[in-house]
Amino acid sequence: MFVHTGQPRVFRFTIDAHQSWPSWQRHHTRPADPTATDDEVANDQRALPRSIEEFTSRAWHEAELPLHIPTLFVPAVINFYIHTGCPHLNGAGKDHRHMLLRQVRDTFRSRSAPRLPPITTRSATTPYTASEVTSIVSWARVQRTSRQRSDAHTLIALALGAGLTTTEIINTRAGDINHHHGINIVVAAGQLRTVPMLHAYEALLPTSDTRPITEFLFRRGRRSASCNTVANFEHRSVERQLHPVPARLRASWISTHLRNGTPLEVVAEAAGLSLGQLVARYRHLVPDPDDRQESLRYASTPP
C-alpha cells in the first residue's frame, strides 16, 4: 500500500501485514542467476525502495495517475517512466531499475488481493447533513495556499451549489459562467443545459471576469481534463475528518431543491436527468405524498 507521510510530495512504500518488507525484499529481489553474489543481492535491496518511491512520485505528480497498484505497475507505465523519467541514470542504471519494477509488477500479479466491496448506489447518493456541510466548508477554508482554497471553494460551489457531476466540474471553463439574475453555469459536458446556482453558494465561486474564457474553472492552469483531477486534488489537500465527495454534494443539491418544493421535472432538467432517472437514483430523497400536500398548503405567495 502507499502511505502518505504527512509532508507534501513525500511517500513511503510498505507491504501488507501478511509479509514483512525485509523478507519480501530478500525473496523477490534476488536475481534469477543462482551465481549472484551477496553484494549484488544487497544492492538490489537498497535500490528497490528508492526505485518505487521515485516511480510512484513521478506517476502521481506529473502523469496524474491514481495511487492504484494495478494502474501503476503495468508494462506501458513502467516502460514510459524508464524512457522519460530517469534522466539521472545511465544505461545500466535504467536497465537495473526496469528489472526491479518488473519484479514488483510480477509480485503483485501473483497475489490474489481481496477486492473491496463496491460503493452502493444509496451510499453514493446520500446527502450530507447540515453539520457535515459546515465541516466541508471549513475544510475548504483551511487549505494551505490561496490557490488551494480557491479550488476547494470552486469544487463546493459547482457541486453543492449547482449539482454538477465530477466530469462536469472538471470540464467547466471560465466562459461557461454568466451573471443573468445571479450566477448561472452553462454545462457543455454531457447533457447541455444551464443551471442557476443556489444563492447561498454564489459567494464561494471566485470571480472569473479576468480569466481567459477557455481556462478551466477548477484547478485552473491545467491543459487537460483528466478524470482523476478531483481525486488528486483531494488527496493532496489538508486532511480532515470529512472531505467532499462530488456525488454526495450533488445529492445534497438535489435534496435541497426537493425539500424546498422545486418541482421534480425542474430538478431533473437542471440535473441533466430524465424524470425516470431522477426518481430511480434519488427515490429516497423524494418527499412523501403527505409532505408534498403540506408544501402546497403552506407555499409562499410569489411576489
Side-chain angles (χ1 to χ4, degrees), residues 12-23:
R12 64 178 184 272
F13 188 89
T14 61
I15 299 300
D16 58 46
H18 298 292
Q19 192 168 22
S20 65
W21 170 252
S23 63

Side-chain angles (χ1 to χ4, degrees), residues 16-81:
D16 58 46
H18 298 292
Q19 192 168 22
S20 65
W21 170 252
S23 63
W24 185 89
Q25 282 185 324
R26 288 195 295 272
H27 178 72
H28 291 287
T29 63
R30 182 178 295 276
D33 182 2
T35 64
T37 66
D38 290 340
D39 288 341
E40 290 173 326
V41 175
N43 182 57
D44 285 348
Q45 293 177 358
R46 289 192 298 269
L48 183 59
R50 178 178 293 276
S51 298
I52 294 175
E53 288 174 5
E54 292 184 4
F55 169 67
T56 53
S57 177
R58 187 172 291 268
W60 188 54
H61 289 291
E62 298 185 10
E64 294 192 351
L65 293 175
L67 293 181
H68 183 234
I69 288 172
T71 302
L72 291 181
F73 288 95
V74 295
V77 177
I78 293 174
N79 293 340
F80 184 79
Y81 164 72

Side-chain angles (χ1 to χ4, degrees), residues 57-118:
S57 177
R58 187 172 291 268
W60 188 54
H61 289 291
E62 298 185 10
E64 294 192 351
L65 293 175
L67 293 181
H68 183 234
I69 288 172
T71 302
L72 291 181
F73 288 95
V74 295
V77 177
I78 293 174
N79 293 340
F80 184 79
Y81 164 72
I82 294 299
H83 285 297
T84 64
C86 307
H88 58 292
L89 298 178
N90 57 23
K94 290 182 179 179
D95 290 341
H96 184 246
R97 179 159 295 188
H98 195 194
M99 179 269 294
L100 292 177
L101 293 176
R102 282 189 286 112
Q103 288 183 346
V104 174
R105 178 202 65 188
D106 294 340
T107 299
F108 285 123
R109 288 178 62 183
S110 66
R111 295 187 177 190
S112 55
R115 295 178 62 87
L116 294 175

